[in-house]
Amino acid sequence: MKPWLALLQPGDWLVVLGGALLVGLSIPMFWQGGLADRAIIRQEGKVFAEVDLRTKRQLEVSGPLGVTLIAVEPGRARVVSDPGPRQYCVRQGWLMRPGEIAICAPNRVSLQIAGRTRVYDSISY
Amino acid sequence: MTRSVTDHESSASPGPQPGVTQLTVSAEDRRVAWLATAAVGLSLIDAAIPSPLPGVKPGLANIVTLVVLMRYGWGTAVWVSVLRVLAGSLLLGHFLAPGFFLSLTGTTLSLLTLGLAMHLPRRWFGPVTLSVFAAFAHIGGQLLLARAWLIPHDGVFLLTPLFAAAALVFGTINGMIAAKLLAESSEDPPCPKPSASP
């Protein structure tokens, strides 16, 4: 190991340490809020179900327009079908990051992903 | 790199007939070809190494790029890298596939970075510095292309810490191997390999 370390010049050490710092900083930057572990489904603003994102299951939530079908898989969840006219929440596809949310407004159903820590979608002062 | 010669007498081959365009191969061409061959060989080994995550690869061919850069300059390094990407993708069967463009973008960005980083004072910054910079540029370019084209969703950037960590580790190791090779070859008399003609 000794002869190999001799190949590193002082600046090289700096660059390697700086790189390690950059990698360390990138973790909280890109993995903010930790990993997704729960899906919170709301109907009329009240929590309808809180599902662990480790199992695979489907939920049917009934709202004023009909039934919204939600699929939960390990690490992700999505709205499979919704009676709403514009299908925005369905077209959002899989949600996998904490803080992501799909809102089926006409049927008053929302699906949100939560992690260990709370993520803010906006901050005001 | 290859010049077309019409009225220039080359020493090895019989003189060109008038009006016939003949391509002569310079020593520089031979050297580039040899080095690119070595780089292609290493990228084949690279591809054969199983990886836990697509995109995380040791990038052994970059050792060749680094050695070429330090010994023959940036222009030769560009030639060797571009030939390596082309020939390597042909051999691996992903020429013009997404993997080829990822590879090309990463290589382009890391060559540009190397072009800038090579002007750092050599006393302080050795091949390891260049290698780490190149590795970060490589993965940065690939992530940006992937985001812009292949996976148009910010979810790709979730992999950034993993890719960055891999870039740091492999960049450091490759840089040390390149430094070792450069240190060894500077002790020996100049390497005779490219002079032998096939």
Side-chain angles (χ1 to χ4, degrees), chain A residues 1 3-5 7-16 19-20 22-23 26-27 30-31 94 96-97 100, chain B residues 122-129 132-133 136 153 157-158 160-162 164-165 168 172 176-177 179-180 183:
Chain A
M1 203 62 212
W4 283 93
L5 288 181
L7 297 169
L8 273 92
Q9 273 130 313
D12 293 340
W13 283 108
L14 274 179
V15 169
V16 171
L22 214 69
V23 172
S26 75
I27 291 172
F30 291 100
W31 292 348
W94 290 106
M96 46 185 98
R97 291 199 68 188
E100 274 191 308
Chain B
R122 292 269 168 112
R123 267 194 61 214
W124 295 90
F125 298 97
V128 175
T129 295
V132 169
F133 276 147
F136 274 118
H153 185 269
F157 293 124
L158 272 178
T160 306
L162 287 178
L168 179 65
T172 309
M176 283 163 86
I177 296 173
K180 181 99 176 153

Side-chain angles (χ1 to χ4, degrees), chain A:
Chain A
M1 203 62 212
K2 206 68 182 281
W4 283 93
L5 288 181
L7 297 169
L8 273 92
Q9 273 130 313
D12 293 340
W13 283 108
L14 274 179
V15 169
V16 171
L17 285 178
L21 202 71
L22 214 69
V23 172
L25 284 176
S26 75
I27 291 172
M29 211 172 111
F30 291 100
W31 292 348
Q32 185 195 20
L35 297 166
D37 57 18
R38 276 172 304 139
I40 302 167
I41 298 143
R42 288 190 179 85
Q43 210 278 314
E44 295 270 15
K46 289 189 285 289
V47 175
F48 174 86
E50 241 187 87
V51 188
D52 203 302
L53 282 185
R54 271 176 299 194
T55 48
K56 191 174 168 161
R57 57 182 289 194
Q58 291 215 341
L59 289 103
E60 288 178 6
V61 190
S62 42
L65 293 188
V67 174
T68 300
L69 191 62
I70 286 166
V72 174
E73 278 191 13
R76 57 185 196 169
R78 71 164 172 162
V79 180
V80 179
S81 69
D82 178 68
R86 282 172 290 272
Q87 302 284 303
Y88 290 138
C89 57
V90 179
R91 279 154 63 188
Q92 245 177 293
W94 290 106
L95 311 179
M96 46 185 98
R97 291 199 68 188
E100 274 191 308
I101 186 165
I103 301 171
C104 306
N107 210 25
R108 300 184 195 161
V109 173
S110 76
L111 165 67
Q112 187 177 17
I113 305 292
R116 269 164 294 149
T117 50
R118 239 185 104 81
V119 183
Y120 300 99
D121 57 355
S122 68
I123 295 173
S124 61
Y125 294 96

Side-chain angles (χ1 to χ4, degrees), chain B residues 10-22:
Chain B
S10 90
S11 57
S13 54
Q17 276 107 54
V20 175
T21 303
Q22 196 167 332

